[in-house]
PDB file of all heavy atoms in Angstrom:
ATOM      1  N   THR A 253       0.811  -1.184  -0.022  1.00 67.00           N
ATOM      2  CA  THR A 253       0.024   0.074   0.019  1.00 67.00           C
ATOM      3  C   THR A 253       0.919   1.270  -0.008  1.00 67.00           C
ATOM      4  O   THR A 253       1.915   1.242   0.727  1.00 67.00           O
ATOM      5  CB  THR A 253      -0.945   0.004   1.283  1.00 67.00           C
ATOM      6  OG1 THR A 253      -0.068  -0.101   2.449  1.00 67.00           O
ATOM      7  CG2 THR A 253      -1.962  -1.086   1.250  1.00 67.00           C
ATOM      8  N   GLY A 254       0.503   2.238  -0.794  1.00 64.00           N
ATOM      9  CA  GLY A 254       1.206   3.427  -0.792  1.00 64.00           C
ATOM     10  C   GLY A 254       2.336   3.451  -1.775  1.00 64.00           C
ATOM     11  O   GLY A 254       2.858   2.436  -2.227  1.00 64.00           O
ATOM     12  N   ASP A 255       2.815   4.641  -2.143  1.00 63.00           N
ATOM     13  CA  ASP A 255       3.931   4.743  -3.082  1.00 63.00           C
ATOM     14  C   ASP A 255       5.027   5.611  -2.510  1.00 63.00           C
ATOM     15  O   ASP A 255       5.989   5.892  -3.212  1.00 63.00           O
ATOM     16  CB  ASP A 255       3.451   5.340  -4.423  1.00 63.00           C
ATOM     17  CG  ASP A 255       2.741   6.640  -4.293  1.00 63.00           C
ATOM     18  OD1 ASP A 255       2.634   7.131  -3.207  1.00 63.00           O
ATOM     19  OD2 ASP A 255       2.347   7.119  -5.323  1.00 63.00           O
ATOM     20  N   ARG A 256       4.910   6.138  -1.315  1.00 75.00           N
ATOM     21  CA  ARG A 256       6.003   6.860  -0.651  1.00 75.00           C
ATOM     22  C   ARG A 256       6.957   5.871   0.015  1.00 75.00           C
ATOM     23  O   ARG A 256       6.482   5.090   0.895  1.00 75.00           O
ATOM     24  CB  ARG A 256       5.429   7.850   0.277  1.00 75.00           C
ATOM     25  CG  ARG A 256       4.583   8.930  -0.376  1.00 75.00           C
ATOM     26  CD  ARG A 256       3.954   9.933   0.535  1.00 75.00           C
ATOM     27  NE  ARG A 256       4.873  10.492   1.479  1.00 75.00           N
ATOM     28  CZ  ARG A 256       4.581  10.910   2.717  1.00 75.00           C
ATOM     29  NH1 ARG A 256       3.331  10.734   3.150  1.00 75.00           N
ATOM     30  NH2 ARG A 256       5.487  11.361   3.485  1.00 75.00           N
ATOM     31  N   TYR A 257       8.196   5.924  -0.310  1.00 78.00           N
ATOM     32  CA  TYR A 257       9.134   4.839   0.120  1.00 78.00           C
ATOM     33  C   TYR A 257       9.345   4.893   1.616  1.00 78.00           C
ATOM     34  O   TYR A 257       9.369   3.937   2.304  1.00 78.00           O
ATOM     35  CB  TYR A 257      10.512   5.061  -0.632  1.00 78.00           C
ATOM     36  CG  TYR A 257      10.296   4.775  -2.116  1.00 78.00           C
ATOM     37  CD1 TYR A 257      10.542   5.793  -2.968  1.00 78.00           C
ATOM     38  CD2 TYR A 257       9.944   3.523  -2.520  1.00 78.00           C
ATOM     39  CE1 TYR A 257      10.324   5.622  -4.335  1.00 78.00           C
ATOM     40  CE2 TYR A 257       9.724   3.309  -3.904  1.00 78.00           C
ATOM     41  CZ  TYR A 257       9.965   4.357  -4.798  1.00 78.00           C
ATOM     42  OH  TYR A 257       9.810   4.154  -6.153  1.00 78.00           O
ATOM     43  N   ARG A 258       9.406   6.104   2.231  1.00 82.00           N
ATOM     44  CA  ARG A 258       9.561   6.139   3.666  1.00 82.00           C
ATOM     45  C   ARG A 258       8.393   5.483   4.372  1.00 82.00           C
ATOM     46  O   ARG A 258       8.501   4.798   5.339  1.00 82.00           O
ATOM     47  CB  ARG A 258       9.761   7.599   4.135  1.00 82.00           C
ATOM     48  CG  ARG A 258       9.968   7.625   5.646  1.00 82.00           C
ATOM     49  CD  ARG A 258      10.176   9.047   6.216  1.00 82.00           C
ATOM     50  NE  ARG A 258      10.166   8.933   7.640  1.00 82.00           N
ATOM     51  CZ  ARG A 258      11.285   9.432   8.334  1.00 82.00           C
ATOM     52  NH1 ARG A 258      12.284   9.991   7.649  1.00 82.00           N
ATOM     53  NH2 ARG A 258      11.360   9.320   9.646  1.00 82.00           N
ATOM     54  N   MET A 259       7.197   5.698   3.848  1.00 85.00           N
ATOM     55  CA  MET A 259       6.030   5.084   4.455  1.00 85.00           C
ATOM     56  C   MET A 259       5.992   3.662   4.360  1.00 85.00           C
ATOM     57  O   MET A 259       5.655   2.905   5.261  1.00 85.00           O
ATOM     58  CB  MET A 259       4.741   5.711   3.805  1.00 85.00           C
ATOM     59  CG  MET A 259       4.460   7.139   4.003  1.00 85.00           C
ATOM     60  SD  MET A 259       4.258   7.588   5.797  1.00 85.00           S
ATOM     61  CE  MET A 259       2.840   6.822   6.128  1.00 85.00           C
ATOM     62  N   LEU A 260       6.572   3.081   3.259  1.00 83.00           N
ATOM     63  CA  LEU A 260       6.666   1.679   3.092  1.00 83.00           C
ATOM     64  C   LEU A 260       7.626   1.032   4.129  1.00 83.00           C
ATOM     65  O   LEU A 260       7.291   0.063   4.755  1.00 83.00           O
ATOM     66  CB  LEU A 260       7.150   1.358   1.603  1.00 83.00           C
ATOM     67  CG  LEU A 260       6.103   1.538   0.532  1.00 83.00           C
ATOM     68  CD1 LEU A 260       6.825   1.382  -0.830  1.00 83.00           C
ATOM     69  CD2 LEU A 260       4.884   0.693   0.723  1.00 83.00           C
ATOM     70  N   VAL A 261       8.709   1.740   4.374  1.00 84.00           N
ATOM     71  CA  VAL A 261       9.714   1.230   5.399  1.00 84.00           C
ATOM     72  C   VAL A 261       8.993   1.391   6.805  1.00 84.00           C
ATOM     73  O   VAL A 261       9.096   0.372   7.565  1.00 84.00           O
ATOM     74  CB  VAL A 261      10.963   2.155   5.373  1.00 84.00           C
ATOM     75  CG1 VAL A 261      11.939   1.754   6.531  1.00 84.00           C
ATOM     76  CG2 VAL A 261      11.669   1.941   4.027  1.00 84.00           C
ATOM     77  N   GLU A 262       8.269   2.419   7.011  1.00 88.00           N
ATOM     78  CA  GLU A 262       7.583   2.508   8.318  1.00 88.00           C
ATOM     79  C   GLU A 262       6.559   1.408   8.495  1.00 88.00           C
ATOM     80  O   GLU A 262       6.501   0.817   9.574  1.00 88.00           O
ATOM     81  CB  GLU A 262       6.873   3.855   8.452  1.00 88.00           C
ATOM     82  CG  GLU A 262       7.839   5.015   8.656  1.00 88.00           C
ATOM     83  CD  GLU A 262       7.187   6.361   8.721  1.00 88.00           C
ATOM     84  OE1 GLU A 262       5.979   6.479   8.710  1.00 88.00           O
ATOM     85  OE2 GLU A 262       7.979   7.378   8.807  1.00 88.00           O
ATOM     86  N   ARG A 263       5.768   1.184   7.437  1.00 88.00           N
ATOM     87  CA  ARG A 263       4.761   0.128   7.519  1.00 88.00           C
ATOM     88  C   ARG A 263       5.415  -1.289   7.735  1.00 88.00           C
ATOM     89  O   ARG A 263       4.853  -2.112   8.475  1.00 88.00           O
ATOM     90  CB  ARG A 263       3.901   0.167   6.274  1.00 88.00           C
ATOM     91  CG  ARG A 263       2.876   1.315   6.290  1.00 88.00           C
ATOM     92  CD  ARG A 263       1.934   1.192   5.141  1.00 88.00           C
ATOM     93  NE  ARG A 263       1.087   2.347   5.010  1.00 88.00           N
ATOM     94  CZ  ARG A 263       1.156   3.107   4.007  1.00 88.00           C
ATOM     95  NH1 ARG A 263       1.977   2.954   2.946  1.00 88.00           N
ATOM     96  NH2 ARG A 263       0.379   4.217   3.942  1.00 88.00           N
ATOM     97  N   ALA A 264       6.464  -1.553   7.019  1.00 86.00           N
ATOM     98  CA  ALA A 264       7.097  -2.786   7.159  1.00 86.00           C
ATOM     99  C   ALA A 264       7.617  -3.069   8.580  1.00 86.00           C
ATOM    100  O   ALA A 264       7.438  -4.139   9.204  1.00 86.00           O
ATOM    101  CB  ALA A 264       8.216  -3.002   6.158  1.00 86.00           C
ATOM    102  N   ALA A 265       8.243  -2.041   9.129  1.00 90.00           N
ATOM    103  CA  ALA A 265       8.786  -2.102  10.484  1.00 90.00           C
ATOM    104  C   ALA A 265       7.652  -2.394  11.498  1.00 90.00           C
ATOM    105  O   ALA A 265       7.755  -3.263  12.377  1.00 90.00           O
ATOM    106  CB  ALA A 265       9.606  -0.869  10.844  1.00 90.00           C
ATOM    107  N   LEU A 266       6.640  -1.571  11.374  1.00 92.00           N
ATOM    108  CA  LEU A 266       5.503  -1.697  12.270  1.00 92.00           C
ATOM    109  C   LEU A 266       4.738  -3.017  12.121  1.00 92.00           C
ATOM    110  O   LEU A 266       4.247  -3.603  13.073  1.00 92.00           O
ATOM    111  CB  LEU A 266       4.475  -0.535  12.056  1.00 92.00           C
ATOM    112  CG  LEU A 266       4.792   0.652  12.890  1.00 92.00           C
ATOM    113  CD1 LEU A 266       3.787   1.829  12.565  1.00 92.00           C
ATOM    114  CD2 LEU A 266       4.691   0.450  14.389  1.00 92.00           C
ATOM    115  N   ALA A 267       4.613  -3.549  10.814  1.00 90.00           N
ATOM    116  CA  ALA A 267       3.981  -4.829  10.661  1.00 90.00           C
ATOM    117  C   ALA A 267       4.786  -5.924  11.360  1.00 90.00           C
ATOM    118  O   ALA A 267       4.054  -6.814  11.970  1.00 90.00           O
ATOM    119  CB  ALA A 267       3.961  -5.078   9.158  1.00 90.00           C
ATOM    120  N   LEU A 268       6.010  -5.983  11.330  1.00 91.00           N
ATOM    121  CA  LEU A 268       6.763  -7.044  12.055  1.00 91.00           C
ATOM    122  C   LEU A 268       6.576  -6.849  13.499  1.00 91.00           C
ATOM    123  O   LEU A 268       6.362  -7.820  14.200  1.00 91.00           O
ATOM    124  CB  LEU A 268       8.260  -6.940  11.632  1.00 91.00           C
ATOM    125  CG  LEU A 268       9.120  -8.057  12.378  1.00 91.00           C
ATOM    126  CD1 LEU A 268       8.653  -9.470  12.017  1.00 91.00           C
ATOM    127  CD2 LEU A 268      10.550  -7.849  12.082  1.00 91.00           C
ATOM    128  N   LEU A 269       6.671  -5.641  14.019  1.00 93.00           N
ATOM    129  CA  LEU A 269       6.536  -5.386  15.450  1.00 93.00           C
ATOM    130  C   LEU A 269       5.111  -5.676  15.943  1.00 93.00           C
ATOM    131  O   LEU A 269       4.963  -6.294  17.033  1.00 93.00           O
ATOM    132  CB  LEU A 269       7.018  -4.001  15.832  1.00 93.00           C
ATOM    133  CG  LEU A 269       8.440  -3.638  15.567  1.00 93.00           C
ATOM    134  CD1 LEU A 269       8.666  -2.204  15.934  1.00 93.00           C
ATOM    135  CD2 LEU A 269       9.325  -4.528  16.492  1.00 93.00           C
ATOM    136  N   ASP A 270       4.097  -5.411  15.124  1.00 93.00           N
ATOM    137  CA  ASP A 270       2.724  -5.676  15.423  1.00 93.00           C
ATOM    138  C   ASP A 270       2.549  -7.234  15.489  1.00 93.00           C
ATOM    139  O   ASP A 270       1.900  -7.776  16.437  1.00 93.00           O
ATOM    140  CB  ASP A 270       1.761  -5.227  14.332  1.00 93.00           C
ATOM    141  CG  ASP A 270       1.509  -3.667  14.468  1.00 93.00           C
ATOM    142  OD1 ASP A 270       1.805  -3.118  15.598  1.00 93.00           O
ATOM    143  OD2 ASP A 270       1.097  -3.074  13.520  1.00 93.00           O
ATOM    144  N   TYR A 271       3.158  -7.966  14.531  1.00 93.00           N
ATOM    145  CA  TYR A 271       3.036  -9.376  14.519  1.00 93.00           C
ATOM    146  C   TYR A 271       3.574  -9.979  15.832  1.00 93.00           C
ATOM    147  O   TYR A 271       3.108 -10.870  16.489  1.00 93.00           O
ATOM    148  CB  TYR A 271       3.724 -10.061  13.323  1.00 93.00           C
ATOM    149  CG  TYR A 271       3.720 -11.564  13.401  1.00 93.00           C
ATOM    150  CD1 TYR A 271       2.643 -12.307  13.033  1.00 93.00           C
ATOM    151  CD2 TYR A 271       4.848 -12.193  13.815  1.00 93.00           C
ATOM    152  CE1 TYR A 271       2.690 -13.697  13.077  1.00 93.00           C
ATOM    153  CE2 TYR A 271       4.895 -13.526  14.034  1.00 93.00           C
ATOM    154  CZ  TYR A 271       3.769 -14.312  13.662  1.00 93.00           C
ATOM    155  OH  TYR A 271       3.772 -15.676  13.823  1.00 93.00           O
ATOM    156  N   ILE A 272       4.847  -9.493  16.177  1.00 93.00           N
ATOM    157  CA  ILE A 272       5.511 -10.009  17.432  1.00 93.00           C
ATOM    158  C   ILE A 272       4.646  -9.628  18.669  1.00 93.00           C
ATOM    159  O   ILE A 272       4.535 -10.523  19.528  1.00 93.00           O
ATOM    160  CB  ILE A 272       6.924  -9.370  17.479  1.00 93.00           C
ATOM    161  CG1 ILE A 272       7.851  -9.846  16.423  1.00 93.00           C
ATOM    162  CG2 ILE A 272       7.553  -9.590  18.931  1.00 93.00           C
ATOM    163  CD1 ILE A 272       9.136  -9.002  16.269  1.00 93.00           C
ATOM    164  N   ASP A 273       4.147  -8.482  18.622  1.00 93.00           N
ATOM    165  CA  ASP A 273       3.252  -8.022  19.828  1.00 93.00           C
ATOM    166  C   ASP A 273       2.030  -8.910  19.959  1.00 93.00           C
ATOM    167  O   ASP A 273       1.688  -9.379  21.059  1.00 93.00           O
ATOM    168  CB  ASP A 273       2.869  -6.585  19.637  1.00 93.00           C
ATOM    169  CG  ASP A 273       2.574  -5.848  20.902  1.00 93.00           C
ATOM    170  OD1 ASP A 273       2.980  -6.346  21.999  1.00 93.00           O
ATOM    171  OD2 ASP A 273       1.956  -4.819  20.870  1.00 93.00           O
ATOM    172  N   ASP A 274       1.430  -9.186  18.791  1.00 94.00           N
ATOM    173  CA  ASP A 274       0.138  -9.923  18.915  1.00 94.00           C
ATOM    174  C   ASP A 274       0.374 -11.492  18.891  1.00 94.00           C
ATOM    175  O   ASP A 274      -0.590 -12.236  19.248  1.00 94.00           O
ATOM    176  CB  ASP A 274      -0.710  -9.606  17.710  1.00 94.00           C
ATOM    177  CG  ASP A 274      -1.113  -8.127  17.723  1.00 94.00           C
ATOM    178  OD1 ASP A 274      -1.111  -7.486  18.788  1.00 94.00           O
ATOM    179  OD2 ASP A 274      -1.391  -7.639  16.609  1.00 94.00           O
ATOM    180  N   ASN A 275       1.502 -11.982  18.447  1.00 93.00           N
ATOM    181  CA  ASN A 275       1.724 -13.329  18.260  1.00 93.00           C
ATOM    182  C   ASN A 275       3.181 -13.770  18.758  1.00 93.00           C
ATOM    183  O   ASN A 275       3.899 -14.383  18.053  1.00 93.00           O
ATOM    184  CB  ASN A 275       1.652 -13.735  16.777  1.00 93.00           C
ATOM    185  CG  ASN A 275       0.351 -13.372  16.165  1.00 93.00           C
ATOM    186  OD1 ASN A 275      -0.652 -14.070  16.343  1.00 93.00           O
ATOM    187  ND2 ASN A 275       0.290 -12.195  15.473  1.00 93.00           N
ATOM    188  N   ALA A 276       3.410 -13.419  20.026  1.00 94.00           N
ATOM    189  CA  ALA A 276       4.801 -13.680  20.564  1.00 94.00           C
ATOM    190  C   ALA A 276       5.133 -15.133  20.506  1.00 94.00           C
ATOM    191  O   ALA A 276       6.225 -15.540  20.108  1.00 94.00           O
ATOM    192  CB  ALA A 276       4.855 -13.203  21.950  1.00 94.00           C
ATOM    193  N   ASP A 277       4.147 -16.089  20.837  1.00 94.00           N
ATOM    194  CA  ASP A 277       4.434 -17.520  20.837  1.00 94.00           C
ATOM    195  C   ASP A 277       4.767 -17.882  19.361  1.00 94.00           C
ATOM    196  O   ASP A 277       5.679 -18.642  19.152  1.00 94.00           O
ATOM    197  CB  ASP A 277       3.263 -18.304  21.351  1.00 94.00           C
ATOM    198  CG  ASP A 277       3.154 -18.296  22.798  1.00 94.00           C
ATOM    199  OD1 ASP A 277       4.098 -17.789  23.510  1.00 94.00           O
ATOM    200  OD2 ASP A 277       2.102 -18.793  23.375  1.00 94.00           O
TER     201      ASP A 277
END
């Protein structure tokens, strides 16, 4: 989603951290 490169980096970093937060096991 999106075409701004900085936003893509932000989303990717948050997506991994969100997954870890919600699915630690």
Side-chain angles (χ1 to χ4, degrees):
T253 55
D255 57 359
R256 293 177 53 209
Y257 296 113
R258 182 181 176 121
M259 294 301 291
L260 291 173
V261 175
E262 289 181 3
R263 286 191 187 114
L266 272 175
L268 178 62
L269 295 174
D270 282 342
Y271 172 82
I272 293 169
D273 205 19
D274 298 337
N275 302 281
D277 281 352

